[in-house]
Amino acid sequence: MGTSFWESPFVLDPRPATVERHGDVDLHVPTGDGPHPAVVIVHGVPGPPEAPDARDWPLYRGYGALLAERDVLAAIPRLTVTSPDDLYAVAARVAAAAELLRTDPRVDAERLGLWFFSGAGLLLGDWLRDPPHWLRGLAATYPLLAPLPGWPPVDPRFRPLDALDLPAATGDAAPSGSASPDDAGVNASRPDAASPDGTGVEATHAEGVARPTLVLTRAGRERPEVAPTIEAFTVVARRRGIPLHVVDVPNGQHGFDALDHTEESRAAVRTARDTLLDLLTAP
């Protein structure tokens, strides 16, 4: 019998962090007094009905430890989705986890990020439309960025593609300094690749809206029902001048960070982590 996805080991082996369980939220705590930047890890939804609490999966415990290893305090809320209506409660729980971090004396309340995985990508819209001042960066790894065909009706709030539909700086052209559609992304085998300004992160803004940069990790062997949502989102984001830093994993599948134990996968995870960390710690 094969290993279930939720039992599969993380592709990296970070030093385990101290984990504090506060009700439905786990905190992965770095050493030192802080104040630390912080990240809410938003695990994939919906999970298989027979799966254990995602906070206990090696994958997400690995990400918590990986962030703590770099002096970031990570929160992982427990999320349950069985129908589109559950997305409202899940979105509220993610926001509550961010506020829990901001009130923790060990956290720098002005330096937070959120990292979404798989189906949790549907929750990105809120943070793209109306980002709070303390949100320094977003990340999304093999995310679902639009409801799948055949789903029951989903509130437009949970359509991240719709959240990009804001006025661009000049028509639909990306502003100067942003990536062009020809600059498809950063290959995981080139973690040192940088944007034109040399920072490794594109920091452009749609007119009148200060957008946090989104670190988007794309799997080259993505599920056929998910890949078109990522492609459509990426095309529109670039056309609208949304700040975007893409990490490509050409040979990775959906869940590559647990399923594909390759140097390519390990490089992609490190690149996404380090890029998000740069956003959290930038002046």
Side-chain angles (χ1 to χ4, degrees), residues 142 218-227 230 248-256 259-262 264-265:
Y142 45 80
R218 304 186 300 192
R221 295 164 55 210
E222 181 57 86
R223 295 175 182 173
E225 69 272 22
V226 175
I230 297 175
D248 279 321
V249 194
N251 299 300
Q253 59 188 313
H254 192 95
F256 71 88
L259 299 176
D260 302 323
H261 285 245
T262 64
E264 180 183 77
S265 294

Side-chain angles (χ1 to χ4, degrees), residues 5-10 21 28 43-44 46-48 50-63 76 258:
F5 179 73
W6 56 84
E7 297 174 315
S8 299
F10 188 41
R21 180 151 290 185
H28 292 247
H43 67 74
E50 69 276 19
D53 187 337
R55 295 177 297 171
D56 295 325
W57 296 12
L59 173 64
Y60 296 115
R61 292 183 75 87
Y63 273 105
I76 308 179

Side-chain angles (χ1 to χ4, degrees), residues 194-201:
S195 63
D197 65 3
T199 64
V201 175

